[in-house]
Amino acid sequence: MALPAHVRATAWVLFSLLCLPGTSQAQEDGVIPQEDCGLEPPGAVYVPLPGPRPHETRWLPSEPPLVRREDPAGSVSALSGMPQTRIRTGALSGKTIYLSPGHGFFRSSPLGRWATQRGNTNDVVEDLVSIETLNQYLLPMLTGAGATVIPVRESDLNPRMVILDNGGAGYSETGSGDLFTSATPGWGSPPVPMGNAVQPFLLGDTRLMTAASTATAQAAWTPSIPADGAYHVYVSYGADPGRVSDAHYVVRHAGGESHFRVNQRRHGGTWVLLGRFYFRAGLHPETASVLALNDSAEPGTLSLDAVRFGGGSGAIGDGALAPLPRPRFEECARYHTQFSGAPPSVFAPSGINALSNERNDDVSSRPRFAAWLHEEGEDAVYVAWHTNASGLSKPDDRFRGTEAYVYGPNPVDGTLNFTGVPGSDVLARALLDELRQDIRNAIDPNWRVRSLRSANLGEVNPAHNPETPAVLMELAYHDHPADAAHLKQPEFRRVAARAMLQGLIKYFAARDSQTAHLPPEPPTALVARNAGSGAVEVKWAKPSTDTLDLGGHEATGYRVYQSADGLAWDDGTERDSTTFSVTLAPGTTRYFRVASLNAGGESFPSDVVGVRVPEAGRGPEVLVVNAFRRLDAELARAEDLSAYGLGVPLRALLESMNDGTALRRHGEAVAQHAVAFDGATSEAISAGLLTPVGYRVLDWFIGRGRAGGQGPTAAEQALMRTFVMGGGHLLLSGSHVASALALGGSDERAFLTDILHALPGCGSSALLVNGLSEGWLPGLSNSMLDDGLRGSFPVGVTDVLLPLEGGSPVLGYAGTDSAAGVASAPGGQVLFLGVPFEGIVNPERRAWLMGAFLARAGVLAAPPVPPAGEEVLPPDAVARGPSSLAPCSVDRIPESYENAETGCGCRAGGGSASVAWLLLLSTVQLRRTRRRSLFTER
């Protein structure tokens, strides 16, 4: 029963106050307090929803989805959804998910600047963490399951953007002129900045191209790409019943060509995502362009409007406030929906000049955008992903965990009085059930998940979206330290996103009386090896499954992707076994990754492995092994957003953490010297898919260390020991290898002293390393390590090494007397780096360091020419500790260098050391003092 009006009004005021995290201090810090939790004020009046668009007709079950992939042979996957790298159909084929990451930057009239709608609590900003999670996890998971995904905020993290319009620069047409005509409306370049009321898809026109049974005409959009990188590619067109439902688009990218068929009868007048592709900077028509061909199985026309590459930065501003000078994915939906063609009744229902209400308009613009774009008969749901806050000054364990809301007339009072779109409550319970099971079993057995609730929240209000079931998920409380700690962890985000995916699959399967099929996990044990005469074999182990379906269902097939550089990938080749073979020319470098397939869809791709094919008469001499398994909040980058009143929150952007591609940097360095190599993940070695027998060099890298900074396992140490003592040459690198081994047992310490001839030392690390004149790397002068802003992951506070007898310092930290690398020869040559090799920013310097070691190992006849000059730290470099020597006590072995004030780590409490071990440390400390002059020469 609905509450009386006066009770509802009073309750709304009370619960609006409860939602305030704000204190006087928060206001002084410039953080906008939460005026509400997205509640609709009593008696709120908004402009009516836009009616059906002129082109709309009922979407029939026999009609194809919006976008589907076409393989190069020409067969179309008739029900596949909007892909990024995916081709196959899946459990969500034919379904549309309107996806809302909530909040985002908006123009604050009180502050006179751009501000987020939620502040920084525990280094978490809801406006940022939600969009990071959805864009990097949930959206690609959904597309991998075949869904068409319509995000209400920008989905590309790339801040660069190029838009080419029909008739403008970069656009061309080929074919008989009578096949082309013009129509209105269409995209037109808006003024800069773009004003509050501008509708860019009404500013221009669109070209029409007559379809034919075979391609007789085409249009091309050829951009000048501003910088190397991955870009989302979007197309736009004018929808109409006279358009073909299989408009043929071809994206030419650095990895090859990808073909699509688009149903141009649907979702016109906005941006439609084709996928994510890698492009090289500059003008390259063959590898950076989009084509539209007129071949179709139907009579009709194709609409040719604008094509967009990348997400870009803020575009909307007025005379008082310039556009947001940040990536556009950080903007709230109020501005994205306007940029995407929606009318003012969607993005500004309280009035286009009511800047003071843009924060409220953001809430309603999300569901209104879904209602505006959704078409009758389109099988869709609306899902919002948020994090919660109690607004209390002190943590309270009553306010933790996961909640879900559907619409009801009540405020946020913990009750359920559902009056929303039918099916919303069923959808919400399916998501809650899956989140409860998966988070408790994979993350925290005590994770709290509350029963379903209702509230008069604008985002799920049928007054804004009466067309689709809608649910708002509150994943965790960002103002509770324990919940916030989980929110910062990539694994929590991945598990929660996967649970949402599986909950959606189970919801639709139950509703449609179908069997639920869950996509599989990717392979982890993977190897690429030269098999002789140019043949390359890729092998992998079948990914494991569990009895709870946490990781999905069993893989029934695989898709092998190939790349010349580990960045730009082809469309893949499908296999039903766990092997793949290809013949390559001598001297070819090739990288591979493998995704798992089943009826549920396609997994994320595996880590990257690779090979370089040897010249005739030679075999591969180097084995590169990726043991970089760490992916946690310690790899996240702290970003200074104090200009927006946010302090320094953590940003968990996978491509600057550990995205599984690090092996390409090692492979590139080896290939620069025309040396052949094979590549594998450490799991492949453990699974017995490959052994290092027959290789002259083993390049084993651990990056930032495994979870918690762990070093190599006992089995891996034994393998490396056997390899070195048998005359093999070892390059071992990683930030925390020495400190992790020092904390181990007698075997670990023996490996550290007998094979690596080094100990973890005290002193300071730095972001610049150089070769020492006494060693054999003198040509490496001041080379920069990555701080998370230079294209790789932040190397963190790296190990300071103390050479033992038989070991020589060959690499040092600039401005200190601390060693970063130690060389020895207990059997074969060993180069032990206390820094990640792949963390060296400059590729020429990485290649030189690799070449110097290959020459030392006898693989090269002579060392390469050293790189010229020295590097200097840029002004925005993230410092990692003082550059002066810190006092060190040896009464405890260093436990971890994470968050240490110096590179020593000695202030961390570790286990008690043996007397012999302490004597060894003391002896080496004295030896180190005698070497100080060597470390400070540069």
Side-chain angles (χ1 to χ4, degrees):
M1 180 177 178
L3 295 170
H6 71 282
V7 176
R8 284 189 287 119
T10 302
W12 182 83
V13 173
L14 290 173
F15 281 96
S16 293
L17 293 174
L18 286 176
C19 287
L20 286 172
T23 63
S24 58
Q25 183 62 47
Q27 300 231 27
E28 289 172 9
D29 291 343
V31 178
I32 294 292
Q34 292 176 243
E35 298 165 1
D36 55 64
C37 300
L39 293 169
E40 295 281 82
V45 177
Y46 295 98
V47 298
L49 284 169
R53 292 189 283 173
H55 71 272
E56 286 191 20
T57 58
R58 182 171 181 79
W59 201 323
L60 301 175
S62 59
E63 192 175 341
L66 186 65
V67 179
R68 61 257 194 221
R69 199 70 165 263
E70 181 175 275
D71 70 21
S75 62
V76 177
S77 181
L79 291 177
S80 62
M82 181 180 68
Q84 289 192 333
T85 59
R86 295 5 183 226
I87 290 182
R88 296 185 102 239
T89 59
L92 295 178
S93 294
K95 314 299 183 187
T96 300
I97 313 297
Y98 290 90
L99 197 58
S100 169
H103 305 301
F105 275 96
F106 78 108
R107 294 181 288 193
S108 167
S109 295
L111 293 177
R113 62 166 171 80
W114 290 88
T116 53
Q117 299 174 49
R118 301 294 186 260
N120 179 354
T121 53
N122 301 302
D123 296 328
V124 171
V125 179
E126 179 184 356
D127 308 55
L128 304 178
V129 69
S130 296
I131 190 72
E132 290 171 3
T133 304
L134 267 64
N135 284 1
Q136 297 181 105
Y137 289 107
L138 185 53
L139 189 151
M141 285 179 181
L142 291 168
T143 60
T148 295
V149 184
I150 309 295
V152 302
R153 288 171 66 184
E154 174 57 49
S155 61
D156 194 352
L157 304 181
N158 190 337
R160 299 180 177 89
M161 180 177 70
V162 180
I163 298 179
L164 302 180
D165 195 10
N166 63 284
Y171 175 81
S172 61
E173 296 175 352
T174 304
S176 175
D178 60 5
L179 294 176
F180 295 89
T181 58
S182 295
T184 57
W187 166 271
S189 297
V192 179
M194 185 169 146
N196 302 340
V198 173
Q199 293 181 250
F201 282 91
L202 299 182
L203 298 181
D205 63 2
T206 176
R207 294 285 282 171
L208 301 181
M209 180 170 61
T210 303
S213 58
T214 58
T216 59
Q218 71 175 37
W221 296 261
T222 305
S224 179
I225 298 296
D228 290 2
Y231 294 74
H232 284 199
V233 174
Y234 305 81
V235 298
S236 65
Y237 49 86
D240 187 86
R243 306 285 183 261
V244 298
S245 65
D246 60 349
H248 187 184
Y249 287 93
V250 181
V251 179
R252 291 178 170 175
H253 50 92
E257 289 188 352
S258 297
H259 294 246
F260 300 87
R261 296 287 180 171
V262 177
N263 183 354
Q264 286 200 348
R265 297 171 187 164
R266 308 294 173 189
H267 287 209
T270 189
W271 299 112
V272 173
L273 176 62
L274 296 184
R276 183 174 187 259
F277 307 94
Y278 197 87
F279 297 100
R280 303 286 182 199
L283 188 67
H284 308 288
E286 297 302 316
T287 57
S289 60
V290 173
L291 308 179
L293 283 62
N294 72 332
D295 59 301
S296 172
E298 306 165 352
T301 58
L302 290 77
S303 173
L304 314 170
D305 199 3
V307 171
R308 173 160 68 96
F309 301 78
S313 57
I316 296 173
D318 55 29
L321 196 60
L324 179 68
R326 295 192 55 78
R328 209 165 56 80
F329 79 88
E330 295 180 355
E331 281 185 337
C332 70
R334 155 66 180 82
Y335 312 107
H336 176 72
T337 53
Q338 179 183 353
F339 183 77
S340 298
S345 55
V346 167
F347 63 79
S350 59
I352 57 175
N353 295 315
L355 295 184
S356 61
N357 287 330
E358 285 194 343
R359 190 160 176 263
N360 290 338
D361 284 347
D362 173 50
V363 174
S364 57
S365 69
R366 306 167 205 159
R368 283 174 170 258
F369 183 69
W372 172 71
L373 204 51
H374 176 258
E375 303 188 28
E376 184 184 3
E378 181 182 16
D379 195 358
V381 296
Y382 179 96
V383 177
W385 173 300
H386 291 251
T387 61
N388 214 339
S390 66
L392 301 176
S393 58
K394 295 182 179 179
D396 187 327
D397 284 345
R398 293 175 300 168
F399 299 100
R400 289 193 61 189
T402 300
E403 301 170 0
Y405 287 89
V406 290
Y407 186 74
N410 55 293
V412 184
D413 58 8
T415 62
L416 178 63
N417 184 16
F418 172 55
T419 61
V421 175
S424 302
D425 54 339
V426 180
L427 171 62
R429 288 191 177 94
L431 297 178
L432 281 175
D433 288 346
E434 204 66 25
L435 286 162
R436 179 184 296 107
Q437 172 183 274
D438 289 12
I439 296 178
R440 286 181 178 176
N441 284 283
I443 303 293
D444 182 351
N446 300 313
W447 188 257
R448 183 174 185 178
V449 178
R450 289 184 172 87
S451 299
L452 181 61
R453 298 175 169 187
S454 67
N456 57 339
L457 299 171
E459 197 162 1
V460 291
N461 191 337
H464 302 308
N465 176 12
E467 302 182 28
T468 67
V471 60
L472 187 151
M473 308 300 299
E474 300 277 12
L475 265 293
Y477 278 78
H478 54 255
D479 66 349
H480 192 290
D483 275 22
H486 283 303
L487 284 170
K488 287 181 280 191
Q489 293 294 345
E491 181 63 5
F492 178 85
R493 300 184 186 192
R494 185 185 75 87
V495 169
R498 187 180 62 189
M500 295 274 280
L501 163 73
Q502 295 176 350
L504 283 164
I505 290 173
K506 292 178 180 179
Y507 160 78
F508 280 112
R511 191 207 61 181
D512 298 341
S513 300
Q514 301 291 326
T515 300
H517 297 285
L518 305 181
E521 291 288 279
T524 56
L526 181 71
V527 61
R529 58 179 291 272
N530 285 279
S533 302
V536 173
E537 182 184 45
V538 183
K539 297 171 61 178
W540 57 93
K542 194 170 187 175
S544 61
T545 57
D546 58 82
T547 58
L548 296 174
D549 288 343
L550 297 180
H553 291 163
E554 185 177 7
T556 57
Y558 304 90
R559 195 162 194 91
V560 181
Y561 294 95
Q562 301 183 55
S563 172
D565 57 7
L567 295 169
W569 297 90
D570 69 0
D571 274 358
T573 304
E574 198 161 320
R575 285 290 181 270
D576 57 7
S577 66
T578 56
T579 61
F580 171 81
S581 297
V582 62
T583 300
L584 302 173
T588 300
T589 300
R590 186 67 53 86
Y591 297 93
F592 304 89
R593 61 185 185 184
V594 179
S596 303
L597 309 173
N598 65 17
E602 181 173 337
S603 72
F604 278 107
S606 69
D607 282 1
V608 172
V609 296
V611 301
R612 187 182 191 275
V613 179
E615 306 295 335
R618 302 188 65 178
E621 299 181 89
V622 178
L623 174 61
V624 183
V625 178
N626 179 2
F628 182 16
R629 288 293 163 263
R630 189 169 189 179
L631 181 57
D632 56 36
E634 294 296 336
L635 273 69
R637 175 170 58 88
E639 183 175 13
D640 185 358
L641 295 178
S642 54
Y644 302 97
L646 297 173
V648 188
L650 288 180
R651 307 301 307 276
L653 305 176
L654 297 179
E655 288 185 357
S656 63
M657 296 172 70
N658 183 3
D659 64 354
T661 67
L663 185 142
R664 69 176 180 82
R665 292 193 164 203
H666 292 250
E668 177 187 57
V670 175
Q672 285 292 316
H673 304 289
V675 173
F677 69 90
D678 292 344
T681 64
S682 58
E683 291 88 348
I685 305 297
S686 300
L689 296 181
L690 184 71
T691 63
V693 175
Y695 298 96
R696 299 177 68 181
V697 172
L698 176 60
D699 173 12
W700 192 289
F701 66 95
I702 303 181
R704 280 282 292 272
R706 295 184 176 175
Q710 295 176 12
T713 66
E716 292 167 349
Q717 294 169 48
L719 179 146
M720 285 185 264
R721 178 186 286 272
T722 300
F723 182 79
V724 170
M725 299 313 293
H729 310 292
L730 172 67
L731 170 56
L732 177 62
S733 62
S735 290
H736 304 290
V737 178
S739 52
L741 288 170
L743 285 172
S746 57
D747 289 343
E748 283 74 16
R749 295 197 294 268
F751 178 78
L752 186 58
T753 57
D754 300 346
I755 302 299
L756 304 183
H757 285 262
L759 293 174
C762 297
S764 296
S765 60
L767 279 175
L768 291 174
V769 295
N770 53 47
L772 303 176
S773 59
E774 188 186 66
W776 45 270
L777 298 175
L780 197 66
S781 300
N782 277 19
S783 298
M784 188 166 61
L785 302 177
D786 208 311
D787 59 354
L789 298 173
R790 320 295 158 194
S792 185
F793 63 95
V795 298
V797 180
T798 52
D799 274 346
V800 172
L801 302 179
L802 295 179
L804 298 179
E805 293 297 337
S808 300
V810 294
L811 193 68
Y813 293 107
T816 78
D817 66 349
S818 303
V822 172
S824 61
Q829 296 289 327
V830 174
L831 176 58
F832 176 34
L833 301 181
V835 301
F837 174 88
E838 63 278 9
I840 299 172
V841 173
N842 188 290
E844 287 76 22
R845 290 169 181 265
R846 289 197 303 268
W848 184 86
L849 177 56
M850 180 64 74
F853 181 67
L854 293 176
R856 190 79 174 181
V859 174
L860 297 181
V865 177
E870 296 185 352
E871 295 182 319
V872 295
L873 294 181
D876 63 339
V878 177
R880 298 179 299 143
S883 58
S884 60
L885 243 170
C888 181
S889 169
V890 294
D891 59 344
R892 289 177 182 270
I893 302 300
E895 184 174 68
S896 172
Y897 288 16
E898 291 299 334
N899 300 319
E901 293 175 353
T902 74
C904 170
C906 298
R907 67 188 182 92
S912 299
S914 66
V915 173
W917 187 242
L918 295 179
L919 288 173
L920 180 58
L921 277 172
S922 302
T923 302
V924 174
Q925 184 68 28
L926 291 173
R927 184 173 182 269
R928 175 179 179 275
T929 303
R930 293 196 295 269
R931 287 184 173 268
R932 284 187 179 180
S933 60
L934 300 175
F935 288 68
T936 54
E937 289 182 0
R938 293 184 181 273

